[in-house]
């Protein structure tokens, strides 16, 4: 008899723990979804700023410095995987504090000069705060990867508050983007061993595409000077 009531109590306790746990997870997910919506707003702010710069430049110089813009919010799985890698708990606060690339925007520019022109114009804006800059164009990565990376904070204005949100910006030319997209595809091909020979070949391709960028830019300067 005593045994039976103990078992009943244990079942009840487990049910309560289960529902407490579900409530705890649901609460966390609500906070997480809200945070993601703030990141989406910040991404829209930055995208609009680049579109405005493109519009202004195209009127003044009769050409577009931006070829295309891609935006993305890091997936839930990638965020939790990154937190785990950094040895951090799954807390909304740690996402905001330690993950810089939840909101990402990639600006594909026409010529190398445009990358710096756009980055400088954005960073001059008084509501943009530069947190980190990595110039992989001036100093390409060992594998040949080239891009200008910026982590900035931008304010978003909500009904009752202003929040500063971080956005990762990658600026690169069409040629750099072509290389990075293919390199990413090749490197992450399943069940395939990436040899040193292939890495060398990829690096050579990156150097050739950088040289192509410079030749195209020189051509543009010739056309402009006429
Ligand atoms: P995804 O899905 O593209 O976002 P951290 O600041 O901790 O995030 P890290 O390494 O200091 O990490 O950042 P870094 O060097 O600024 O670059 C991170 C991002 O740049 C990567 O994001 C890629 O998008 C891009 N990137 C960096 N190196 C390479 C490279 O060698 N090849 C290619 N194709 N892309 C590169 P994620 O997180 O990998 O993924």
């Amino acid at each position: 008899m005593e045994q039976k009531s103990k078992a009943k109590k244990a079942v009840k306790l487990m049910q309560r723990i289960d529902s407490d746990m579900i409530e705890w997870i649901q609460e966390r997910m609500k906070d997480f979804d809200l945070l993601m919506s703030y990141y989406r707003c910040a991404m829209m702010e930055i995208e609009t700023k680049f579109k405005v710069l493109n519009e202004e430049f195209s009127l003044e110089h009769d050409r577009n410095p931006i070829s295309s813009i891609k935006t993305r919010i890091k997936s839930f799985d990638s965020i939790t995987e990154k937190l785990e890698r950094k040895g951090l708990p799954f807390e909304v606060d740690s996402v905001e504090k330690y993950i810089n690339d939840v909101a990402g925007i990639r600006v594909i520019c026409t010529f190398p000069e445009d990358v710096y022109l756009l980055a400088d114009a954005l960073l001059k804006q008084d509501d943009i705060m530069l947190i980190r800059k990595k110039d992989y164009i001036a100093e390409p990565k060992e594998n040949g990867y080239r891009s200008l990376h910026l982590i900035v904070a931008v304010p978003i204005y909500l009904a009752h508050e202003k929040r500063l949100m971080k956005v990762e910006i990658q600026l690169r030319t069409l040629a750099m983007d072509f290389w990075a997209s293919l390199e990413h595809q090749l490197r992450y091909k399943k069940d395939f061993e990436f040899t040193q020979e292939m890495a060398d070949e990829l690096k050579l391709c990156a150097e050739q595409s950088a040289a192509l960028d410079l030749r195209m830019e020189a051509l543009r300067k010739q056309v402009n000077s006429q």
Side-chain angles (χ1 to χ4, degrees), residues 6-33:
K6 263 190 188 166
K8 256 187 184 172
K9 269 187 194 161
V11 168
K12 263 194 185 159
L13 186 68
M14 274 174 52
Q15 279 170 342
R16 232 198 59 215
I17 290 174
D18 264 6
S19 68
D20 284 355
M21 183 76 112
I22 290 169
E23 215 174 287
W24 184 85
I25 292 171
Q26 278 173 343
E27 221 29 66
R28 288 261 167 326
M29 285 315 289
K30 235 201 259 165
D31 292 346
F32 181 81
D33 288 345

Side-chain angles (χ1 to χ4, degrees), residues 72 74 78 82 85-86 98-101 104 106 132 134 136 141 143-147 149-151 168 170 172 176-177 179-185 187-188:
R72 72 106 183 83
K74 214 172 181 66
S78 302
K82 198 161 189 175
R85 209 169 355 111
K86 289 178 179 247
Y98 301 108
I99 313 278
N100 290 326
D101 62 343
R106 189 169 287 156
R132 195 182 76 188
K134 282 192 193 168
Y136 292 126
K141 278 180 70 172
N143 62 357
Y145 176 77
R146 284 166 170 78
S147 267
H149 290 193
L150 309 172
I151 307 284
E168 184 198 59
Q170 297 182 353
R172 52 171 79 144
M176 294 169 198
D177 189 53
W179 182 92
S181 308
L182 298 193
E183 186 262 359
H184 188 268
Q185 271 185 39
R187 200 168 284 274
Y188 292 97

Side-chain angles (χ1 to χ4, degrees), residues 2 21 49 59 64 82 119 132 152 175 190 204 207 211 222:
E2 202 183 320
M21 183 76 112
K49 283 175 181 292
L59 282 176
N64 292 315
K82 198 161 189 175
R132 195 182 76 188
V152 300
K190 271 190 201 135
L204 202 65
E207 280 157 12
Q222 274 182 39

Side-chain angles (χ1 to χ4, degrees), residues 68-185:
S68 63
I69 299 180
K70 295 171 194 163
T71 57
R72 72 106 183 83
I73 289 287
K74 214 172 181 66
S75 69
F76 178 78
D77 285 352
S78 302
I79 292 174
T80 48
E81 188 257 316
K82 198 161 189 175
L83 283 175
E84 222 174 287
R85 209 169 355 111
K86 289 178 179 247
L88 296 162
F90 178 71
E91 295 283 347
V92 169
D93 281 356
S94 2
V95 175
E96 215 174 345
K97 214 164 166 185
Y98 301 108
I99 313 278
N100 290 326
D101 62 343
V102 175
I105 172 156
R106 189 169 287 156
V107 184
I108 317 298
C109 304
T110 320
F111 296 102
E113 246 182 32
D114 298 332
V115 166
Y116 294 103
L117 179 141
L118 288 163
D120 289 346
L122 180 85
L123 295 175
K124 259 193 243 152
Q125 300 185 6
D126 54 19
D127 57 349
I128 292 287
M129 192 173 91
L130 178 66
I131 296 175
R132 195 182 76 188
K133 180 176 179 173
K134 282 192 193 168
D135 191 346
Y136 292 126
I137 299 176
E139 281 180 61
K141 278 180 70 172
E142 188 42 39
N143 62 357
Y145 176 77
R146 284 166 170 78
S147 267
L148 178 65
H149 290 193
L150 309 172
I151 307 284
V152 300
V154 62
I156 57 164
Y157 296 90
L158 304 163
H160 303 291
E161 61 169 330
K162 167 185 161 184
R163 287 184 76 108
L164 274 184
M165 302 302 298
K166 283 188 267 185
V167 177
E168 184 198 59
I169 306 168
Q170 297 182 353
L171 293 118
R172 52 171 79 144
T173 62
L174 280 161
M176 294 169 198
D177 189 53
F178 166 68
W179 182 92
S181 308
L182 298 193
E183 186 262 359
H184 188 268
Q185 271 185 39

